[in-house]
Amino acid sequence: MQPIWNKIIKIVPLWIAPNLLTFSGFVMILFNYFLLSFYDWDYTASGTSPGLVPTWVWLFSAFTTFCAYALDSIDGKHARRTQSSTPLGELFDHGLDSWATSIFVLSFFSVCSRDNGKTGVSVYTMYIYLSIVLFNFMCSHWEKYNTGVLFLPWGYDISQVVLIAAYLLTGAVGVEIWQEPLLFGYYITDALVILLIGFSLFLSFPQTLYNIYRAHLKKTLKNDSLYEGLLPLVSPLLLFVLLTVWVVLSPSNILAKQPRLFLWMVGVAFSNVICKVIVCQMSSTRPELLHWFLFPLALLVYAAISGLLGWMEEVLLGVFAALVTAAHVHYGVCVGRQLSEHLNIYIFSLKKRVQE
């Protein structure tokens, strides 16, 4: 994709701040997610009512995904081009990526549709699919925490191209294409899930372990002890365990009742946990053992699976999702402002701050 990005970067005005490119791409996919949510809140539109989501929405999804992909790919180039590379820009980029990762996946689920008895993907497969994608993202930054090098496999580029192609295909021929067997009775969605699992288990994760092992042999690891090296994984893994327990043992089958809300909460909570790991990796500080999200989540999960919540389970899921989202946005704004003041720069402008 580099030849394309090298041409696009030439038309970007030099007065535009790199962070503005990063944020614009994120806003586009966020708007696209809310647009799909409006037409397809419970992920059933493509399966039960194929015409419910207008054709222009799928084409718009392809457009916003490509724009976000392009802007995320050229923001670093533009920063070097304008000599404005800063730690704030790096954190801003990776922090929004940690959130965008789940939004890309949750938007794509509207194409697949949830299981309707004949076709579609079950909500449990959606949860596993999302968890695997987030696991891959976590591994990349866990690797950088230990080696100081962010290795991004081709999987990111492949996933973006596949997303864009899927939206264009859906807009061109309709969602029915996803409900027809592709080969030997398997559907396109089955093939994508198999590819994702195969890529994660046999390419991405082994590559991460190999890169860390190679750094160990070269004695370039940033953390000498096994405890320090594994510390960033504790909170994300506990988060996954708690969420999985809730999914499996929920008396009201909360994931089936509110798949979009539950998966949104998963993505936001994960993003906040990983953002703090990214900050520690950039500042060479020790991450906290237990993220504070884990404590209210543990109480909520216990109350839910023990039957104490009853019909209130859905309500409290909505409340918790809102609180997690608000806390995440608040954290991002505060960190951004603090770094902006410390580095004497503006977040969305190339002008220097006036010292008071």
Side-chain angles (χ1 to χ4, degrees), residues 316-336:
L316 289 180
L317 168 63
V319 172
F320 185 71
L323 290 176
V324 167
T325 303
H328 188 40
V329 172
H330 177 264
Y331 175 77
V333 171
C334 289
V335 172

Side-chain angles (χ1 to χ4, degrees), residues 244-301:
T244 303
V245 168
W246 194 359
V247 167
V248 174
L249 300 181
S250 170
S252 64
N253 202 356
I254 191 66
L255 183 59
K257 283 191 174 181
Q258 291 291 345
R260 186 175 289 275
L261 190 59
F262 190 92
L263 296 176
W264 168 269
M265 180 268 292
V266 171
V268 176
F270 171 86
S271 177
N272 192 264
V273 171
I274 293 302
C275 276
K276 296 197 173 186
V277 172
I278 294 172
V279 169
C280 292
Q281 163 256 305
M282 290 179 60
S283 58
S284 298
T285 54
R286 175 187 287 186
E288 57 193 357
L289 178 63
L290 299 175
H291 190 286
W292 72 268
F293 277 0
L294 297 174
F295 299 101
L297 177 61
L299 291 175
L300 182 58
V301 171

Side-chain angles (χ1 to χ4, degrees), residues 33-106:
Y33 170 80
F34 287 132
L35 180 65
L36 287 169
S37 300
F38 174 76
Y39 284 103
D40 182 29
W41 174 257
D42 55 359
Y43 292 119
T44 58
S46 296
T48 57
S49 307
L52 189 60
V53 180
T55 299
W56 69 266
V57 173
W58 301 123
L59 298 178
F60 181 74
S61 297
F63 171 73
T64 54
T65 301
F66 175 77
C67 288
Y69 177 30
L71 291 170
D72 187 45
S73 300
I74 67 172
D75 54 2
K77 292 178 179 291
H78 186 62
R80 292 184 287 274
R81 180 171 170 241
T82 55
Q83 298 182 345
S84 57
S85 298
T86 64
L88 173 59
E90 180 182 352
L91 178 61
F92 197 74
D93 186 13
H94 295 324
L96 288 181
D97 283 346
S98 69
W99 197 351
T101 299
S102 63
I103 296 175
F104 279 125
V105 178
L106 299 185

Side-chain angles (χ1 to χ4, degrees), residues 92-355:
F92 197 74
D93 186 13
H94 295 324
L96 288 181
D97 283 346
S98 69
W99 197 351
T101 299
S102 63
I103 296 175
F104 279 125
V105 178
L106 299 185
S107 297
F108 178 69
F109 287 157
S110 287
V111 172
C112 304
S113 174
R114 66 188 289 181
D115 187 11
N116 59 9
K118 295 181 179 179
T119 60
V121 178
S122 75
V123 291
Y124 301 103
T125 302
M126 290 182 179
Y127 174 69
I128 294 172
Y129 195 108
L130 176 62
S131 299
I132 292 174
V133 172
L134 296 179
F135 174 77
N136 282 333
F137 188 92
M138 177 190 71
C139 285
S140 294
H141 287 279
W142 173 57
E143 177 186 333
K144 187 179 182 183
Y145 174 83
N146 284 285
T147 66
V149 179
L150 180 63
F151 177 82
L152 290 177
W154 282 11
Y156 170 70
D157 295 277
I158 293 173
S159 67
Q160 295 300 297
V161 172
V162 168
L163 277 176
I164 295 166
Y167 287 133
L168 289 175
L169 182 65
T170 306
V173 301
V175 295
E176 291 80 7
I177 188 67
W178 302 93
Q179 300 165 17
E180 297 293 332
L182 178 66
L183 193 65
F184 302 120
Y186 288 95
Y187 297 84
I188 299 179
T189 50
D190 296 327
L192 291 177
V193 170
I194 292 172
L195 285 174
L196 174 67
I197 295 175
F199 176 82
S200 302
L201 296 181
F202 300 108
L203 289 177
S204 182
F205 186 56
Q207 181 70 55
T208 294
L209 295 178
Y210 173 73
N211 291 340
I212 294 176
Y213 176 69
R214 190 172 58 179
H216 169 70
L217 293 180
K218 293 181 178 179
K219 299 189 182 302
T220 58
L221 280 178
K222 298 178 66 178
N223 302 287
D224 296 328
S225 71
L226 182 63
Y227 173 78
E228 293 291 343
L230 296 177
L231 190 58
L233 298 180
V234 175
S235 285
L237 291 178
L238 285 177
L239 177 67
F240 173 74
V241 169
L242 286 172
L243 292 170
T244 303
V245 168
W246 194 359
V247 167
V248 174
L249 300 181
S250 170
S252 64
N253 202 356
I254 191 66
L255 183 59
K257 283 191 174 181
Q258 291 291 345
R260 186 175 289 275
L261 190 59
F262 190 92
L263 296 176
W264 168 269
M265 180 268 292
V266 171
V268 176
F270 171 86
S271 177
N272 192 264
V273 171
I274 293 302
C275 276
K276 296 197 173 186
V277 172
I278 294 172
V279 169
C280 292
Q281 163 256 305
M282 290 179 60
S283 58
S284 298
T285 54
R286 175 187 287 186
E288 57 193 357
L289 178 63
L290 299 175
H291 190 286
W292 72 268
F293 277 0
L294 297 174
F295 299 101
L297 177 61
L299 291 175
L300 182 58
V301 171
Y302 172 76
I305 65 176
S306 62
L308 295 176
L309 298 182
W311 63 270
M312 289 287 291
E313 186 175 0
E314 287 184 63
V315 176
L316 289 180
L317 168 63
V319 172
F320 185 71
L323 290 176
V324 167
T325 303
H328 188 40
V329 172
H330 177 264
Y331 175 77
V333 171
C334 289
V335 172
R337 289 178 62 182
Q338 289 174 17
L339 277 175
S340 173
E341 293 172 0
H342 177 72
L343 298 172
N344 194 34
I345 58 176
Y346 290 106
I347 299 177
F348 298 118
S349 174
L350 293 178
K351 296 179 180 179
K352 292 287 185 179
R353 281 178 173 268
V354 177
Q355 293 281 10

